[in-house]
């Protein structure tokens, strides 16, 4: 009789275990689409109109001629080709030639040098294809699956929408020693986005493309150091614009304009003369322990207690948009583009890009 009781209990345990597995999967699915909790310092608001400017730098340049946009400038120079790119790949792509291609490469190198030499970021070369677990860890999956380019095959992989995914996941399922914190990484990579939610927005030019280069900053810190690190990171990003002498402003995003994984975000916007307004060139976010919980990334604090890490990410900067800003702010009446002083060592013997 005791034997039969044990058999019944075993069957019951198996049934309950199966039920628990189902419930855990349902709970995980529910939790995976819940956004991060916002920091108390984030201002209340419903849209980008409620974002608050914190500071601005530089006077927007007043041209004594009608400003051309980057498309008109690039096509007149014969160095931006959207038509051929469309034949090769469709809309939202561009072929960049000669001196503009060199300028784009120079910008990546310049940004990497600033961040590694002046701000202590470690340069990392990373894969551009990642598994689903990596995208889940940083919050792109499952919520933003429609914006991800995927490669079908024996092992499904996904093209990175930003190097944040790879750099942050370097600590996934890790226990980092507190003496090794903070970790600061930087990478220059292509980024790939379907731009699924941007139908009709910025369809002309290089502002919003399916493929673009970005220099990405990621910091891994003790979770109570996120606020200070966000200030440090955003200052590292704005230094690039300071050095390039491009006018910009720094804003804090309101509650209604926040990203999924962020607890607090600063956007940096650069001045574009052709639009007579500022446009986003960097977004720097603290995610608190939100991503670390998803990635199971921990450290032992000073009391030897296991804690989830704090993670931050930011553009330092979007390379294509920086090139656009240089083209427009450094344009001359005859359609030439002057080279910023700090970039001349990266583009030897070139003071300007012109038809001649």
């Amino acid at each position: 009789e005791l034997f039969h009781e044990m058999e019944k209990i075993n069957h019951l345990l198996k049934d309950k275990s199966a039920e628990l597995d189902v419930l855990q999967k349902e709970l995980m699915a529910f939790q995976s689409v819940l956004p991060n909790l916002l920091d108390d310092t984030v201002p209340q608001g419903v849209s980008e109109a409620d974002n608050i400017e914190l500071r601005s730098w530089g006077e927007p340049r007043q041209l004594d001629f009608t400003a051309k946009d980057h498309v008109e400038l690039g096509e007149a120079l014969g160095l931006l080709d959207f038509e051929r790119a469309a034949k090769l790949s469709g809309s939202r792509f561009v072929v960049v030639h000669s001196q503009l291609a060199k300028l784009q490469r120079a910008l990546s190198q310049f940004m990497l040098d600033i961040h590694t030499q002046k701000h202590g970021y470690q340069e990392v070369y990373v894969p551009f294809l990642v598994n689903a677990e990596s995208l889940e860890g940083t919050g792109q999956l499952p919520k933003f699956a429609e914006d991800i380019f995927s490669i079908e095959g024996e092992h499904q992989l996904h093209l990175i929408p930003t190097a944040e995914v790879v750099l942050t996941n370097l600590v996934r399922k890790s226990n980092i020693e507190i003496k090794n914190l903070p970790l600061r990484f930087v990478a220059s990579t292509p980024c790939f986005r379907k731009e699924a939610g941007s139908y009709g927005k910025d369809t002309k030019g290089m502002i919003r493309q399916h493929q673009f280069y970005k220099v990405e900053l990621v910091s891994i810190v003790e979770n109570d150091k996120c606020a200070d690190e966000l200030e440090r990171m955003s200052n590292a990003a704005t230094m690039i614009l300071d050095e390039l002498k491009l006018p910009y402003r720094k804003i804090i995003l309101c509650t209604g304009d926040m990203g999924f994984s962020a607890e607090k975000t600063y956007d940096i916007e650069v001045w574009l003369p052709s639009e007579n307004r500022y446009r986003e060139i960097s977004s720097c976010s603290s995610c608190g322990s939100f991503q670390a919980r998803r990635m199971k990334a921990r450290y032992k604090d000073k009391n030897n207690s296991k804690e989830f890490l704090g993670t931050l990410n930011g553009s330092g900067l979007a390379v294509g948009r920086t090139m656009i800003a240089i083209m427009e702010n450094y344009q001359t009446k005859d359609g030439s583009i002057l080279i910023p002083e700090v970039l001349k060592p990266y583009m030897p013997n070139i003071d300007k890009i012109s038809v001649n």
Side-chain angles (χ1 to χ4, degrees), residues 251-318:
I251 62 174
I252 183 169
L253 299 195
C254 71
T255 52
D257 198 29
M258 290 283 291
F260 179 77
S261 299
E263 64 174 4
K264 182 177 181 178
T265 298
Y266 294 137
D267 270 9
I268 298 155
E269 299 179 338
V270 71
W271 179 259
L272 292 187
S274 71
E275 298 186 21
N276 203 38
R277 64 170 174 146
Y278 292 97
R279 293 296 300 264
E280 182 196 333
I281 198 167
S282 171
S283 193
C284 297
S285 296
S286 167
C287 299
S289 59
F290 179 80
Q291 292 177 325
R293 289 174 190 277
R294 296 168 74 101
M295 296 187 301
K296 298 179 175 59
R298 297 178 174 89
Y299 71 103
K300 280 186 181 177
D301 68 12
K302 288 164 188 171
N303 301 317
N304 220 29
S305 173
K306 274 194 176 181
E307 297 283 343
F308 287 106
L309 290 158
T311 66
L312 302 95
N313 62 79
S315 312
L317 305 161

Side-chain angles (χ1 to χ4, degrees), residues 32-35 139-146 260 294:
S32 67
V33 294
L34 289 176
Q140 281 80 12
L141 285 181
K143 189 168 177 63
F144 303 104
E146 63 174 10
F260 179 77
R294 296 168 74 101

Side-chain angles (χ1 to χ4, degrees), residues 320-334:
R321 291 193 180 194
T322 309
M323 186 170 78
I324 289 169
I326 289 171
M327 291 173 71
E328 294 202 8
N329 284 280
Y330 280 83
Q331 65 179 293
T332 62
K333 195 170 185 176
D334 67 1

Side-chain angles (χ1 to χ4, degrees), residues 107-127:
L107 280 167
S108 276
Q109 288 181 259
F110 168 68
M111 292 174 191
L112 287 170
D113 285 349
I114 291 285
H115 294 312
T116 55
Q117 294 168 18
K118 297 197 174 181
H119 302 296
Y121 285 89
Q122 177 192 337
E123 185 176 351
V124 190
Y125 172 81
V126 297

Side-chain angles (χ1 to χ4, degrees), residues 77-81 95-106 323 347 350 353-355:
L77 290 165
L79 302 180
L80 288 185
D81 195 334
V95 175
V96 185
H97 287 278
S98 188
Q99 292 174 329
L100 273 188
K102 191 171 189 175
L103 175 61
Q104 186 163 262
R105 176 163 53 89
M323 186 170 78
M347 299 186 70
I350 300 175
I353 297 172
S354 60
V355 176

Side-chain angles (χ1 to χ4, degrees), residues 38 42-48 50-51 252-258:
L38 302 186
V42 174
Q44 294 293 316
V46 293
S47 72
E48 63 180 28
D50 299 311
N51 295 337
I252 183 169
L253 299 195
C254 71
T255 52
D257 198 29
M258 290 283 291

Side-chain angles (χ1 to χ4, degrees), residues 185-233:
F185 303 125
V186 62
S188 177
T189 70
C191 305
F192 306 90
R193 297 181 188 177
K194 286 185 179 177
E195 294 293 350
S198 64
Y199 180 77
K201 288 182 186 174
D202 299 310
T203 52
K204 181 187 176 189
M206 292 175 62
I207 289 282
R208 198 180 298 273
Q209 297 211 293
H210 291 312
Q211 174 188 308
F212 57 95
Y213 256 86
K214 183 154 65 82
V215 172
E216 185 73 3
L217 306 172
V218 161
S219 294
I220 313 291
V221 299
E222 296 166 59
N223 56 34
D224 60 351
K225 302 282 177 66
C226 287
D228 289 342
E229 188 67 17
L230 181 59
E231 301 302 321
R232 186 186 192 278
M233 177 179 282

Side-chain angles (χ1 to χ4, degrees), residues 234-249:
S234 58
N235 288 338
T238 56
M239 180 184 273
I240 301 295
L241 296 172
D242 291 333
E243 295 282 323
L244 292 170
K245 294 183 166 49
L246 291 170
Y248 66 88
R249 66 176 187 167

